[in-house]
Amino acid sequence: MQRAVDERLLGASTSTIAAAHPHRQALIFGDQSWSYAEFDQAVGVVAAGLSGAGVSRGDFVLMGATARPEALFTLFALARLGAVLVPVHDSWTESEVRAVSAAVHLAATVGGADFLRRVGASGLRLCWDADTPDTTPLRPDAD
């Protein structure tokens, strides 16, 4: 049964705000900035990458959360897909991530190259950094 998208939901919020205020500044990170339209586009690219890799509604996705724009794009992209974010701190160790993995069935692990290398995540590994071996790239700036 197809459900109508509720515009109040987190996954729809970037599109709603982008439609109303496309040129307003949404995010500043270092010397980079994104308008709401650009932010929404980046969320869409990440959502398409996650979906294309097999992530779908109800899937649990572990993310090594860190202070970088890709973490926000991923958070909103997972919400847009209806997937469940399992956030852990980027500094967690392999044994800490393994404990969380034992509690839920993870569809994928997302993060930066250092995090994915350090935790030794198995299964579907989606990486924000370019040219990372044994991972699927998940780059919001990739065209």
Side-chain angles (χ1 to χ4, degrees):
M1 178 175 165
Q2 183 71 16
R3 293 183 346 173
V5 175
D6 186 335
E7 294 299 316
R8 297 170 295 174
L9 296 176
L10 183 63
S13 65
T14 61
S15 297
T16 302
I17 296 169
H21 308 287
H23 303 294
R24 286 193 184 166
Q25 200 166 53
L27 176 65
I28 300 171
F29 185 79
D31 61 352
Q32 297 177 291
S33 66
W34 289 261
S35 67
Y36 280 105
E38 292 165 334
F39 189 94
D40 183 57
Q41 180 180 12
V43 169
V45 169
V46 172
L50 288 162
S51 179
V55 174
S56 60
R57 178 176 298 281
D59 284 346
F60 289 87
V61 177
L62 185 131
M63 179 177 73
T66 184
R68 59 189 284 181
E70 294 90 345
L72 284 173
F73 302 148
T74 301
L75 178 148
F76 283 95
L78 289 169
R80 188 174 286 182
L81 294 174
V84 180
L85 173 65
V86 181
V88 300
H89 194 274
D90 185 60
S91 67
W92 276 27
T93 65
E94 182 177 3
S95 62
E96 290 170 317
V97 169
R98 212 174 314 119
V100 171
S101 299
V104 297
H105 177 72
L106 295 175
T109 302
V110 178
D114 291 341
F115 173 76
L116 293 173
R117 259 191 305 276
R118 190 175 60 257
V119 302
S122 60
L124 181 58
R125 297 164 12 114
L126 299 146
C127 188
W128 297 319
D129 302 316
D131 302 324
T132 304
D134 302 321
T135 67
T136 300
L138 189 61
R139 300 277 311 155
D141 58 356
D143 291 323

